[in-house]
Amino acid sequence: MAAWYLVSEKQSGNGADQHKYRLRQQMIFVGREDCEMVLQSRSVDKQHAVIKYDLAEDVYKVKDLGSLNGTFLNESRIPEETYVTLHKKDTLRFGYDILFL
């Protein structure tokens, strides 16, 4: 299986800063605290969403954990507590923080 990454680009005084998060074949919790992927944003809940690898389908899926500001896939808010399949070149947004596949 090819490596999958989430890429975050933020504008700073020196241009764009890029951070890569390699997705592993496990559950990755995304949030502001005590998560494998920590996002420093007030729009992100302490435990905001989870990304998991589905071995049977050989895909990654994301699920919103009932967050206040939502999880968005390609600018569409995903339903709470429902896994949605991710594809390369998708855009994920946790609250107001945007990440790219």
Side-chain angles (χ1 to χ4, degrees), residues 26-43:
Q26 62 188 23
M27 293 188 80
I28 300 166
F29 285 87
V30 180
R32 213 174 54 240
E33 296 177 14
D34 300 323
C35 292
E36 288 79 16
M37 185 182 301
V38 176
L39 301 175
Q40 300 296 325
S41 173
R42 291 180 183 216
S43 70

Side-chain angles (χ1 to χ4, degrees), residues 39-94:
L39 301 175
Q40 300 296 325
S41 173
R42 291 180 183 216
S43 70
V44 174
D45 288 11
K46 289 181 181 180
Q47 286 203 334
H48 194 98
V50 65
I51 299 170
K52 77 167 187 168
Y53 177 71
D54 186 320
L55 181 61
E57 295 182 36
D58 191 28
V59 295
Y60 284 94
K61 297 182 177 188
V62 64
K63 176 173 77 170
D64 184 85
L65 298 174
S67 67
L68 180 64
N69 293 308
T71 300
F72 297 79
L73 178 60
N74 300 321
E75 291 307 314
S76 294
R77 189 171 184 154
I78 65 172
E80 293 178 8
E81 302 298 332
T82 302
Y83 278 106
V84 177
T85 301
L86 299 174
H87 304 282
K88 289 185 180 181
K89 306 280 184 184
D90 278 345
T91 302
L92 271 177
R93 181 162 52 92
F94 303 102

